[in-house]
C-alpha cells in the first residue's frame, strides 16, 4: 500500500510538472471569466452631505495604484445640482480601499459638475481628470470644461483649471470613462479625451493634448443630425463614449446611440490619425452590442477587446461582459453576466505591467442596484482564465 501511494504521489508530481506550464499560460482562446471579488465602494441613500453616487470611473496609475472616482450628488439623484467628486484609492489592486475623499466641491451650484474622463500620462506619471460644469446651462452660463491633476499618484490634486479659456466656450461632457494616452503611432504620447456635446448640439467630440495636458486643442468631431436642432426619436444622435487604442494605433470609440438610430445598439467610430478626425467612412453599428442607450465600458488588453453594458435593448439591467479576439469585428458568443438586476454606467481598467499575474485580471466599476441602478457603485475584479 505504502509503495503504491508513493508511486501515485510521484506520478502526480510528474503530471503537474509536465502540465503546469500549459495550465499557467494564458492565451486569449482560453478566456473564461470568473467573478473573483466584488465590493460596494459607494452606497447611495442620503448619508451625510451626499444623496446619490453615480457615474463611476476607474483607472490604474503609472505606479499600479487603483483610483475609483464617482459623482457624489448632494441634493438628489439628478444630473443637475451640486456635487463633489469622490475618490477612493487602493494600493493592493482592489483588495482594500482608502476612505472616500472629496477632491472637488462645486459648492451649491444649481447645475454643478459632471464627470468626466480620467487619464493617466505614463510618460510623466500624472493623473488628469477632465469634467464639465454648468453642462446643461440650467440657471448658469456658460458651460466650462475643467481639469484637475495629481502628480503624486492620486494622493493630492491641483485646484481646477478652466480649459475653456484655451478651447473656447462649448458645452462638452467628457466620457464618461477614461481618456487615452496614445501608446502607438500616429501621435504616440498624445492625450485624447472624447465626450459629447449639448442636447441639441450633440455628437462625439475629442480634445487633444501633445504636451501632457498643458495645452489642449479640438480634435475629431462626429456631429448629430440634424445638428443644433431639436431631435426626434430615431435621429442620429451619438452621445456618451469610450475611446480605446488598438495595437496598430487606431482609436476605436464605442458610442451611446441616444435616439436608437438604425438599431438599439452601439455606434462604433474609428480614428486613424490619432484623434484628429472621426470620418463617417469609419463608422458602423455593432448590432451584437444590444444597448438601452447608456454609457458603456470598453478596454483593450493584450490584443483582446472587452465591452461592458447592461445588455438589454430597453432597460438598464443585465450588466454583461463581452470580449472580442478580432478588434470588435465579432464577439465571442460566451458572454459573462456580471449582474442580472438593475445596472447602469460602467468603466474598466487593467494593469499592463508585463507580469503573468497582471495579465489575468480586468477590473470593472459599475452602477448596481436591486430596484434602481443608482443604489450603489460596485467594484469587480474579474479573473479572465476562470481562476487558473
Ligand atoms: C472658463 O473660461 C471661459 C472662457 O474664458 C469663461 O467664459 C467661463 O466663465 C470660465 N468658467 C469658469 C467656471 O470660470
Ligand atoms: C442578458 O444578456 C445576454 C447576453 O447579451 C442575453 O443573451 C440575454 O438575453 C440578456 N437578458 C436580458 C434579460 O436582457
Amino acid at each position: 500500500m505504502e509503495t503504491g501511494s508513493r508511486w501515485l504521489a510521484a506520478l502526480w508530481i510528474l503530471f503537474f510538472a509536465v502540465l503546469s506550464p500549459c495550465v499557467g499560460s494564458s492565451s486569449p482562446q482560453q478566456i473564461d471569466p470568473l467573478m473573483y471579488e466584488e465590493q460596494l465602494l459607494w452606497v447611495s441613500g442620503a448619508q451625510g452631505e451626499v444623496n446619490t453616487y453615480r457615474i463611476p470611473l476607474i483607472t490604474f496609475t503609472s505606479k499600479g495604484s487603483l483610483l475609483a472616482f464617482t459623482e457624489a450628488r448632494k441634493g438628489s439623484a439628478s444630473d443637475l445640482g451640486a456635487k463633489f467628486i469622490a475618490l477612493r484609492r487602493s494600493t493592493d489592486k482592489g483588495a482594500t480601499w482608502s476612505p472616500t475623499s472629496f477632491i472637488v466641491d462645486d459648492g451649491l451650484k444649481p447645475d454643478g459638475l459632471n464627470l468626466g474622463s480620467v487619464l493617466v500620462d505614463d510618460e510623466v506619471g500624472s493623473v488628469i481628470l477632465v469634467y464639465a460644469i454648468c453642462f446643461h446651462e440650467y440657471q448658469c452660463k456658460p458651460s466650462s470644461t475643467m481639469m484637475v491633476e495629481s502628480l503624486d499618484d492620486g494622493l493630492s490634486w491641483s485646484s481646477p483649471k478652466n480649459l475653456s479659456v484655451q478651447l473656447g466656450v462649448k458645452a462638452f461632457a467628457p466620457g464618461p470613462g477614461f481618456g487615452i494616452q496614445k501608446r502607438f503611432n500616429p501621435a504616440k504620447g498624445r492625450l485624447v479625451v472624447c465626450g459629447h456635446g449639448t442636447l441639441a448640439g450633440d455628437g462625439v467630440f475629442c480634445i487633444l493634448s501633445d504636451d501632457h495636458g498643458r495645452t489642449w486643442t479640438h480634435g475629431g468631431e462626429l456631429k448629430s443630425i440634424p445638428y443644433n436642432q431639436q431631435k426626434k426619436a430615431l435621429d442620429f444622435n451619438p452621445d456618451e463614449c469610450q475611446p480605446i487604442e488598438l495595437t496598430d494605433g487606431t482609436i476605436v470609440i464605442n458610442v451611446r446611440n441616444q435616439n436608437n438610430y438604425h438599431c438599439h445598439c452601439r455606434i462604433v467610430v474609428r480614428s486613424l490619425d490619432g484623434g484628429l478626425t472621426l470620418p463617417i467612412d469609419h463608422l458602423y453599428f455593432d448590432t451584437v452590442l444590444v444597448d438601452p442607450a447608456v454609457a458603456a465600458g470598453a478596454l483593450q488588453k493584450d490584443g483582446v477587446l472587452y465591452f461592458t453594458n447592461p445588455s438589454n435593448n430597453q432597460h438598464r439591467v443585465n450588466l454583461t461582459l463581452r470580449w472580442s479576439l478580432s478588434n470588435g469585428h465579432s464577439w465571442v458568443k460566451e458572454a459573462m453576466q456580471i449582474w442580472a438586476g438593475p445596472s447602469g454606467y460602467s468603466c474598466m481598467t487593467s494593469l499592463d505591467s508585463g507580469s503573468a499575474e497582471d495579465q489575468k485580471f480586468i477590473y470593472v466599476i459599475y452602477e448596481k442596484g436591486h430596484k434602481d441602478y443608482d443604489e450603489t457603485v460596485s467594484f469587480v475584479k474579474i479573473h479572465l482564465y476562470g481562476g487558473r
Side-chain angles (χ1 to χ4, degrees):
M1 280 304 279
E2 232 210 338
T3 331
S5 61
R6 271 198 197 141
W7 253 107
L8 222 83
L11 261 172
W12 270 114
I13 289 164
L14 195 74
F15 181 73
F16 278 110
V18 171
L19 227 84
S20 55
C22 321
V23 173
S25 77
S26 43
S27 82
Q29 282 72 25
Q30 294 172 304
I31 292 174
D32 176 19
L34 178 77
M35 299 261 285
Y36 199 74
E37 214 174 293
E38 175 156 23
Q39 282 186 58
L40 301 183
L41 293 187
W42 287 286
V43 178
S44 298
Q47 298 147 319
E49 295 170 279
V50 180
N51 180 285
T52 302
Y53 295 96
R54 273 210 66 195
I55 327 293
L57 315 179
I58 193 163
T59 191
F60 271 102
T61 65
S62 305
K63 287 189 176 147
S65 301
L66 263 180
L67 303 181
F69 303 87
T70 195
E71 289 180 9
R73 300 181 168 186
K74 296 181 190 177
S76 76
S78 164
D79 291 346
L80 299 167
K83 306 174 198 76
F84 302 104
I85 297 177
L87 166 67
R88 295 187 73 180
R89 185 169 174 272
S90 172
T91 52
D92 54 12
K93 298 177 190 174
T96 60
W97 293 84
S98 72
T100 295
S101 55
F102 294 135
I103 60 165
V104 178
D105 179 356
D106 63 17
L108 293 167
K109 291 212 161 57
D111 185 6
L113 64 86
N114 288 102
L115 283 177
S117 288
V118 62
L119 180 61
V120 172
D121 186 322
D122 284 315
E123 293 179 6
V124 297
S126 61
V127 185
I128 289 171
L129 197 56
V130 186
Y131 60 96
I133 53 172
C134 181
F135 176 69
H136 312 85
E137 301 201 325
Y138 172 73
Q139 297 182 14
C140 56
K141 234 178 173 49
S143 176
S144 306
T145 304
M146 309 296 290
M147 163 181 151
V148 290
E149 182 176 30
S150 173
L151 302 175
D152 59 4
D153 204 44
L155 287 171
S156 70
W157 293 82
S158 70
S159 55
K161 179 176 167 186
N162 182 358
L163 299 185
S164 299
V165 174
Q166 297 169 8
L167 288 168
V169 172
K170 171 182 179 0
F172 174 63
F178 53 81
I180 56 174
Q181 179 170 48
K182 290 278 286 143
R183 293 171 63 187
F184 307 97
N185 277 321
K188 185 173 181 297
R190 173 176 292 165
L191 306 182
V192 182
V193 168
C194 302
H196 74 103
T198 54
L199 299 182
D202 210 351
V204 169
F205 303 91
C206 299
I207 59 171
L208 314 173
S209 174
D210 288 322
D211 57 5
H212 310 289
R214 298 282 81 75
T215 59
W216 294 83
T217 55
H218 288 286
E221 301 182 336
L222 173 67
K223 289 179 172 168
S224 59
I225 305 172
Y227 189 59
N228 266 336
Q229 293 165 50
Q230 202 64 40
K231 298 290 187 293
K232 292 186 199 157
L234 308 182
D235 280 347
F236 181 64
N237 198 7
D239 195 79
E240 294 171 314
C241 61
Q242 175 60 69
I244 53 139
E245 185 180 20
L246 301 182
T247 51
D248 68 0
T250 303
I251 299 171
V252 179
I253 310 179
N254 194 294
V255 184
R256 171 173 172 164
N257 186 1
Q258 179 63 17
N259 291 31
N260 301 309
Y261 178 85
H262 192 72
C263 61
H264 288 246
C265 73
R266 306 294 295 181
I267 302 170
V268 180
V269 64
R270 290 171 292 167
S271 174
L272 307 185
D273 57 8
L276 293 174
T277 63
L278 302 175
I280 210 92
D281 317 42
H282 300 313
L283 180 147
Y284 65 95
F285 294 85
D286 194 330
T287 53
V288 176
L289 303 182
V290 168
D291 193 70
V294 70
L299 183 74
Q300 188 277 120
K301 180 179 176 61
D302 299 325
V304 180
L305 288 200
Y306 297 90
F307 177 77
T308 49
N309 78 333
S311 180
N312 182 284
N313 66 13
Q314 300 290 336
H315 305 292
R316 292 181 178 179
V317 295
N318 195 28
L319 195 88
T320 300
L321 171 71
R322 292 187 171 277
W323 61 101
S324 168
L325 310 182
S326 58
N327 289 336
H329 293 296
S330 63
W331 296 89
V332 173
K333 65 176 188 301
E334 289 85 15
M336 177 209 190
Q337 187 183 64
I338 294 176
W339 179 244
S343 35
Y345 287 22
S346 58
C347 182
M348 275 184 279
T349 190
S350 74
L351 188 56
D352 289 324
S353 66
S355 85
E357 190 61 16
D358 289 327
Q359 273 188 328
K360 295 178 186 168
F361 296 97
I362 61 170
Y363 303 78
V364 182
I365 195 167
Y366 72 103
E367 298 172 338
K368 172 185 185 178
H370 284 272
K371 291 205 186 80
D372 294 305
Y373 61 81
D374 63 2
E375 290 163 12
T376 74
V377 169
S378 183
F379 163 79
V380 190
K381 179 170 179 174
I382 291 174
H383 195 306
L384 294 173
Y385 300 97
R388 285 175 299 167

